[in-house]
Amino acid sequence: MSTPSEAVERRLYNALWWAKVQSAGPLAVDPDTPAVAGLTRAAEPDGSTVWLVPTMPSGAGHAVLDELGTPPVAVEQPNETARVLAIVVACCWTDRSGSAWPGAIGTLTQVRAVYAGMRGRAEQSSDLTLIIGSLRRLHATHWIRWNEKAAEVRLGPRVINWNAADQAMLRDLCRHLPDPPPAVLTTTPDEPASPADDVLEAVDE
């Protein structure tokens, strides 16, 4: 049993991490970082980093999500952004018998092909602009990890909170999307899909 002083220190520790998450969103930390109450740990595939992601209350609305520092899909171009998120899920959640996190690395070529198939027409010059804008917004809100230089994408740490019902719905959605072409990667599977400087150093302050 912890002493009163240890309990106070623990509450202060949790409050500090929650303040950081509410300010910056999900945080990438060292795997040795102790657990934080209310934050789910999402380990990167290579084990070098763990993300701390707020555990979503069941049925949380927009106000609650904003308060937790995890707003829903960015409101700018919401339809296109949601469409691109669905495509990334289809491209990166290759083993749909298991959890969506961490998924596989997908490519911009795959996303463009599925996007054109969803629209039922040949790719247009404006499509790439819409896709890149959506990928950047989803990366900024931690739904995906977008490596623009390599033109590769992964699912982001926020998907760790998708429950069984969410994943069942997404499996059904993926069945209705065009199949992506095979991924041709410029990175190896155990390389991170975003630059190393994306890892937030503020957690050590």
Side-chain angles (χ1 to χ4, degrees):
M1 180 178 295
S2 61
T3 66
S5 62
E6 290 173 339
V8 170
E9 288 179 3
R10 187 65 186 176
R11 286 197 294 271
L12 289 174
Y13 174 82
N14 290 337
L16 174 63
W17 280 105
W18 270 97
K20 291 178 178 179
V21 167
Q22 288 174 310
S23 173
L27 297 174
V29 301
D30 188 274
D32 294 333
T33 302
V36 181
L39 298 183
T40 302
R41 297 167 67 88
E44 286 284 357
D46 63 2
S48 64
T49 303
V50 169
W51 289 88
L52 297 181
V53 186
T55 304
M56 295 297 100
S58 179
H62 284 215
V64 173
L65 295 175
D66 286 337
E67 183 179 349
L68 295 178
T70 57
V73 172
V75 294
E76 184 182 355
Q77 297 280 352
N79 292 337
E80 291 301 323
T81 304
R83 182 178 289 116
V84 170
L85 176 57
I87 292 171
V88 173
V89 171
C91 294
C92 297
W93 190 17
T94 53
D95 179 11
R96 293 176 195 149
S97 63
S99 172
W101 174 266
I105 298 175
T107 66
L108 179 59
T109 298
Q110 289 181 302
V111 173
R112 293 171 68 174
V114 178
Y115 186 93
M118 284 181 69
R119 303 301 294 268
R121 55 165 171 73
E123 184 175 2
Q124 299 184 1
S125 58
S126 60
D127 289 352
L128 183 58
T129 300
L130 291 170
I131 290 170
I132 296 296
S134 295
L135 290 171
R136 288 172 176 169
R137 286 190 290 276
L138 291 165
H139 176 85
T141 50
H142 302 282
W143 281 109
I144 67 169
R145 306 297 294 157
W146 165 232
N147 183 341
E148 193 154 347
K149 182 177 180 181
E152 293 175 354
V153 64
R154 288 180 41 230
L155 293 171
R158 287 183 62 176
V159 309
I160 196 74
N161 281 323
W162 283 341
N163 58 33
D166 296 329
Q167 295 194 59
M169 179 182 66
L170 289 165
R171 286 188 188 95
D172 185 63
L173 173 63
C174 289
R175 284 195 290 270
H176 291 85
L177 294 179
D179 290 330
V184 179
L185 304 179
T186 59
T187 59
T188 57
D190 56 354
E191 283 186 87
S194 56
D197 58 5
D198 265 4
V199 175
L200 299 174
E201 297 179 354
V203 297
D204 294 325
E205 295 179 356

